[in-house]
Amino acid sequence: MSRIGKAPIEIPAGVTVDVAKDNVVTVKGPKGTLSQAVNPEFTITIEDGHLHIARPTDDREHRAQHGLYRALVHNMVVGVSTGYRKELELVGVGYRATATGQVLELSLGYSHAIYLKLPPEVKVEAKSERNKNPLIILESDDKQLLGQVCAKIRSFRKPEPYKGKGIKFVGEVIRRKSGKTAGAK
């Protein structure tokens, strides 16, 4: 019994949802347009400003997909109405980030700079303040694409548990380990 799948999706003002006959849901809003293909066996209805997704049977596969499709469509509705925002923090001496257009330049202690070309749907901003760690702020209407870009940036220098250096999300807690000298007696 999918509790997530049964929950209706509220469609805010300024957002339009279209369902094509081949079950492709297209959501348009002030931040952009997104579309997602849904299993054609599912029925999608829009009534009174709410979108409902109903599964055909109680098979294991249909139950698993019910909550998934509801979550994907809900993420699209939230994305085109308010958008998503992620902040990454660079922790380490000499770590820098600069954004020029859709290209992010990272200096992470390697012998070379890393240049990452971002998709046009993702807006990037790099902040550097004195005596604070540099920040990378990413915004997009597509939650999945934003998470993928964040994971790619983070993979260049993952936070390590001994000194805490690396790229981490703002507010993320890194479990720290004590070094070799802590256990010696």
Side-chain angles (χ1 to χ4, degrees):
M1 175 168 161
S2 174
R3 293 190 178 109
I4 294 173
K6 286 184 176 181
I9 300 169
E10 185 178 336
I11 302 170
V15 175
T16 58
V17 178
D18 297 322
V19 181
K21 60 179 171 253
D22 53 348
N23 261 17
V24 174
V25 179
T26 305
V27 183
K28 293 179 186 171
K31 297 269 186 183
T33 303
L34 296 171
S35 61
Q36 172 69 43
V38 177
N39 188 339
E41 297 173 359
F42 285 77
T43 55
I44 301 168
T45 57
I46 302 169
E47 52 192 38
D48 299 333
H50 288 80
L51 185 132
H52 299 275
I53 299 176
R55 63 176 179 242
T57 64
D58 277 343
D59 290 347
R60 183 180 180 92
E61 186 176 338
H62 288 149
R63 285 187 315 215
Q65 290 178 352
H66 193 198
L68 168 75
Y69 287 130
R70 191 261 178 207
L72 290 175
V73 173
H74 180 261
N75 288 343
M76 291 193 311
V77 170
V78 172
V80 299
S81 60
T82 60
Y84 290 100
R85 175 187 172 105
K86 296 257 186 181
E87 294 182 4
L88 296 166
E89 183 179 10
L90 280 67
V91 181
V93 177
Y95 287 9
R96 289 189 310 274
T98 54
T100 50
Q102 288 300 103
V103 177
L104 182 66
E105 180 185 355
L106 298 168
S107 176
L108 301 173
Y110 296 118
S111 61
H112 58 283
I114 298 170
Y115 295 94
L116 180 65
K117 181 151 176 35
L118 299 172
E121 296 90 8
V122 178
K123 292 175 181 55
V124 65
E125 180 186 348
K127 284 187 180 179
S128 295
E129 293 182 23
R130 191 169 173 86
N131 296 329
K132 288 191 177 178
N133 292 328
L135 288 176
I136 302 170
I137 300 165
L138 300 164
E139 294 182 19
S140 179
D141 57 349
D142 191 349
K143 186 176 186 179
Q144 185 176 349
L145 180 67
L146 185 66
Q148 208 168 3
V149 169
C150 287
K152 180 68 175 172
I153 293 171
R154 186 184 157 100
S155 72
F156 293 131
R157 184 70 92 175
K158 288 186 180 163
E160 53 97 18
Y162 295 102
K163 293 183 181 177
K165 292 169 57 172
I167 302 173
K168 67 180 189 99
F169 292 103
V170 171
E172 180 183 6
V173 177
I174 306 297
R175 270 186 59 199
R176 302 294 294 270
K177 292 182 179 178
S178 56
K180 291 190 286 186
T181 58
K185 288 190 180 190

